[in-house]
Amino acid sequence: MSVKKQIKTALVSVYHKDGLDEIITKLHEEGVKLLSTGGTRQFIESLGIPCDAVEDLTSYPSILGGRVKTLHPKVFGGILSRRDSAQDDAQLKEYAIPEIDLVIVDLYPFEDTVASGADESAIIEKIDIGGISLIRAAAKNYKDVAIVASKAQYAPLLEMLSKDEASTTLEERRWLAKEAFAVSSHYDTAIFNYFSADEESAFRASYNDKKSLRYGENPHQKGAFYGSLDTVFDQIHGKEISYNNLLDINAAIELIGELPASSFVVMKHNNACGVATRPTLLEAWKDALAGDPISAFGGVLITNRPVDLVTAEEIHKLFFEVIIAPSYDDEALAVLSKKKNRIILIQKDGVHTTKQFRSMLNGVLVQDRDVAKETKEELQVVTKKAPTAEEIDDMLFANTLVKHSKSNAIVLAKGHQLFASGVGQTSRVDALKQAIEKAKSFGFDLHGAVMASDAFFPFPDCVEIADKEGITAVIQPGGSIKDQLSFDYCDAHNMSMVLTGRRHFKH
């Protein structure tokens, strides 16, 4: 077991004071001498607890509008001195530097200031200098010094102080140092990304709040989520969310965010297998389920309307893993909660990140998120026959669905209902054939339906197959050197086609 280090002197200098009083009171009860600056010192003294000023130790006042307060050898010498070094000890005595055994410090709210829309001068002033230096110094010397760099560590520190009479073990100090470096590296990442803007000379990303998962995609793989799920949804019922659940939840939330009100989506393995928009939620659910009632088994359900009792009773008949909605009527929630493992989520927000990244080839692959959404005004009619207003609405609906499907992808839809999709195929022809086969197997009549493709048609074969099934309108990006072949086929067979000018590959 490691030798404990007694805390005799603590330096406390924090921006956020909430939760600090309990720590200060405990340190005082254990006879720890306190050093502090400015507002923190006033806070400590307001508790009726004595506190020495750092300015009295250094013989220098806070200068440059508070930019320089703790940056002094008498402060950093006391933190960085190695207690087992005779040379360090001699220099402390020579220059009258007291040992500092505990540092409690936090950082100016740089990220919050940027998010507030403040001007650059205000943002720059929130780049912490003294705090970040204290954190690094104390963490580096963890063998002798304990560092608390965030109020998130107040509870662990209080536990250490309570059980060991203001002393810490080497293991505890090393853990605190690790947490401190997490704070400092996250802070520096935020500053770099602010200065980098769109230049992106290097890739930096930092996420806190680890949530351990049961496993990754498969039981033999470890899995975790970093970030704040609570900002996106609240879980009000069910078992622990899995890695694969999160993938489907993310795909579902991204898709529902682009659909009209009163829509229902059934998601399976990141692809929508049922989607419908209807005047009532019950109609939307029934028509979404009709799209593929087999694949819906064990899926993830999402809607953008509150779930009522009559809809919940219908949904409850299906086995599914997750349901997401903005709210639930009390009676509806009582029905859905009858399955103890069923995950019930209340969506609070959408997905707002602007970048996507994944590990790749011992590096990181980064791209902008595909947030483009085509509008009626952007569509280019390339055939003699123009689509009807109803066909345009259906094509835009189908185009949204194909954007959120794995490539190669084809979507067949009519009347704001997904008839079928062919996804993840190595050829577009195979994707179309898969979609047609599924649609027919579930009793859909494709006459008057529309077809959406996530990429261009290099040959008119898909258009010809669609025509033979009664599909009357096609939406695709265009861009093939042989586009005209598809245009000509449509003209010869009384079909309409529009181009979006924008491809939507998804892997």
Side-chain angles (χ1 to χ4, degrees):
M1 185 169 178
S2 0
V3 177
K4 295 177 181 178
K5 293 278 186 179
Q6 190 72 32
I7 298 172
K8 299 176 182 177
T9 302
L11 171 61
V12 186
S13 181
V14 297
Y15 185 88
H16 301 97
K17 312 296 190 296
D18 48 311
L20 183 63
D21 53 346
E22 197 173 1
I23 298 290
I24 295 301
T25 300
K26 183 61 179 175
L27 289 171
H28 178 62
E29 289 173 355
E30 296 294 339
V32 177
K33 180 180 179 181
L34 299 172
L35 286 170
S36 192
T37 61
T40 307
R41 182 181 173 222
Q42 292 175 10
F43 173 81
I44 293 171
E45 290 178 337
S46 74
L47 300 174
I49 295 173
C51 179
D52 291 348
V54 168
E55 293 91 330
D56 293 339
L57 171 65
T58 63
S59 299
Y60 272 88
S62 172
I63 61 173
L64 305 182
R67 282 189 164 197
V68 180
K69 289 183 282 191
T70 57
L71 296 169
H72 193 282
K74 283 202 170 183
V75 174
F76 282 86
I79 296 170
L80 286 165
S81 67
R82 292 156 291 194
R83 308 313 197 247
D84 59 357
S85 167
Q87 183 179 1
D88 285 6
D89 184 58
Q91 288 187 323
L92 292 186
K93 291 175 180 175
E94 179 182 358
Y95 297 108
I97 299 174
E99 291 179 345
I100 296 174
D101 312 298
L102 168 65
V103 175
I104 303 176
V105 63
D106 63 9
L107 301 171
Y108 291 157
F110 179 83
E111 289 178 282
D112 290 344
T113 306
V114 173
S116 73
D119 60 32
E120 180 150 292
S121 62
I123 291 171
I124 296 304
E125 284 308 310
K126 288 298 185 287
I127 297 177
D128 207 307
I129 303 301
I132 205 80
S133 302
L134 290 169
I135 289 172
R136 292 182 65 83
K140 176 177 180 177
N141 202 28
Y142 72 89
K143 289 186 178 180
D144 297 305
V145 179
I147 171 65
V148 173
S150 164
K151 61 183 179 182
Q153 277 78 59
Y154 283 3
L157 174 64
L158 192 60
E159 184 180 347
M160 295 173 198
L161 295 175
S162 300
K163 71 183 177 72
D164 289 325
E165 299 180 335
S167 62
T168 58
T169 66
L170 178 62
E171 290 79 12
E172 289 169 339
R173 293 190 300 277
R174 197 178 197 284
W175 180 84
L176 288 169
K178 180 260 296 181
E179 292 296 306
F181 282 125
V183 169
S184 65
S185 63
H186 179 84
Y187 196 76
D188 284 339
T189 294
I191 295 170
F192 168 78
N193 286 333
Y194 170 76
F195 278 94
S196 178
D198 294 328
E199 184 182 340
E200 300 174 355
S201 57
F203 176 75
R204 297 287 185 274
S206 177
Y207 293 88
N208 296 316
D209 304 320
K210 177 183 178 182
K211 176 181 173 58
S212 295
L213 304 173
R214 297 197 304 273
Y215 48 81
E217 283 185 290
N218 301 291
H220 62 278
Q221 296 171 272
K222 289 183 179 180
F225 175 85
Y226 294 87
S228 182
L229 292 174
D230 293 341
T231 63
V232 183
F233 58 74
D234 287 329
Q235 181 173 357
I236 58 175
H237 184 77
K239 64 182 180 181
E240 182 182 351
I241 297 174
S242 71
Y243 184 102
N244 292 324
N245 288 154
L246 286 175
L247 292 176
D248 277 331
I249 290 168
N250 181 76
I253 288 176
E254 287 194 341
L255 174 54
I256 202 71
E258 295 195 29
L259 294 176
S262 196
S263 293
F264 223 116
V265 175
V266 182
M267 188 70 62
K268 193 71 172 288
H269 298 304
N270 302 179
N271 292 296
C273 60
V275 185
T277 301
R278 292 291 182 265
T280 70
L281 192 61
L282 179 60
E283 291 174 291
W285 162 247
K286 287 183 175 180
D287 286 349
L289 181 62
D292 189 344
I294 295 175
S295 296
F297 184 86
V300 169
L301 316 181
I302 188 167
T303 181
N304 49 17
R305 279 189 61 175
V307 176
D308 53 40
L309 175 59
V310 65
T311 307
E313 288 174 336
E314 286 297 314
I315 295 170
H316 183 62
K317 296 174 182 178
L318 175 75
F319 169 75
F320 59 90
E321 289 268 343
V322 182
I323 183 168
I324 312 161
S327 64
Y328 304 84
D329 292 353
D330 290 343
E331 298 86 353
L333 189 58
V335 170
L336 295 172
S337 300
K338 289 179 179 178
K339 298 288 187 181
K340 68 175 183 178
N341 288 330
R342 179 178 286 160
I343 297 169
I344 303 177
L345 307 178
I346 295 177
Q347 185 181 347
K348 300 191 294 188
D349 201 357
V351 178
H352 302 303
T353 52
T354 58
K355 298 288 183 183
Q356 290 178 315
F357 52 91
R358 63 174 74 179
S359 58
M360 179 76 60
L361 297 171
N362 303 320
V364 178
L365 192 64
V366 183
Q367 68 171 351
D368 295 335
R369 271 188 64 230
D370 185 359
V371 296
K373 182 175 174 64
E374 287 69 37
T375 64
K376 180 168 59 177
E377 292 73 25
E378 292 177 294
L379 302 181
Q380 178 189 359
V381 180
V382 292
T383 50
K384 294 176 182 177
K385 180 186 177 184
T388 65
E390 291 78 11
E391 286 175 329
I392 289 174
D393 283 346
D394 279 340
M395 285 193 287
L396 288 172
F397 176 80
N399 189 63
T400 297
L401 303 189
V402 84
K403 169 188 171 181
H404 291 273
S405 302
K406 298 289 186 180
S407 300
N408 287 313
I410 292 287
V411 163
L412 307 179
K414 184 180 179 181
H416 286 87
Q417 180 183 16
L418 171 63
F419 277 10
S421 59
V423 298
Q425 298 301 303
T426 52
S427 84
R428 205 156 301 282
V429 171
D430 286 344
L432 175 56
K433 289 180 177 179
Q434 181 191 56
I436 291 170
E437 182 182 352
K438 287 185 70 174
K440 287 182 174 180
S441 71
F442 295 121
F444 288 110
D445 181 0
L446 292 174
H447 285 82
V450 303
M451 174 173 72
S453 173
D454 63 342
F456 62 69
F457 298 115
F459 304 102
D461 44 8
C462 283
V463 180
E464 182 178 352
I465 295 169
D467 173 43
K468 291 178 180 178
E469 297 297 334
I471 292 166
T472 55
V474 179
I475 183 169
Q476 56 128 333
S480 169
I481 59 172
K482 297 181 179 180
D483 271 345
Q484 193 62 46
L485 295 176
S486 295
F487 305 164
D488 292 343
Y489 183 92
C490 287
D491 285 339
H493 294 81
N494 200 34
M495 296 176 72
S496 60
M497 178 178 286
V498 299
L499 304 185
T500 65
R502 191 181 286 123
R503 188 178 71 187
H504 290 293
F505 273 170
K506 184 179 180 183
H507 293 95

